[in-house]
Amino acid sequence: MLKCPECSAVLDVDEDEVEEGELMSCPECEVELEVVQVNPVHINVISDETEAEDEKEESEEDFDEDKGEKKEEKEKAEDEEEE
């Protein structure tokens, strides 16, 4: 018997037929779940926070690159002023 790690609702899943990496959702709290182990079956919540953190890291990398480009442009402009 599998239970949702988020709300403890009983999940109607045949433990003999699930595969590692399989995605499902809880019928009660609608959280997305991933099968991370099959013997015994273990599931984890796929959190929106994790996805949001990944997106935030990507946007920070883009921001840093933009900042670096702006810094280079500023240095270039300063060099031209000195001449």
Side-chain angles (χ1 to χ4, degrees), residues 7-77:
C7 70
S8 299
V10 175
L11 303 173
D12 185 25
V13 176
D14 187 351
E15 293 184 40
D16 295 329
E17 294 184 14
V18 294
E19 295 180 14
E20 191 170 322
E22 185 174 334
L23 301 176
M24 62 184 76
S25 62
C26 174
E28 295 294 320
C29 67
E30 298 181 1
V31 71
E32 287 195 45
L33 305 166
E34 178 182 18
V35 178
V36 293
Q37 182 178 326
V38 291
N39 193 9
V41 176
H42 184 75
I43 53 177
N44 280 344
V45 174
I46 301 175
S47 87
D48 290 336
E49 290 176 8
T50 303
E51 292 173 11
E53 288 173 7
D54 291 344
E55 290 173 6
K56 181 179 177 184
E57 288 174 4
E58 288 174 8
S59 67
E60 286 175 353
E61 289 171 2
D62 292 341
F63 179 75
D64 289 341
E65 289 174 9
D66 291 343
K67 187 175 180 182
E69 289 175 11
K70 289 178 183 175
K71 183 178 179 183
E72 289 173 11
E73 290 173 8
K74 183 178 178 182
E75 289 173 355
K76 196 178 209 181

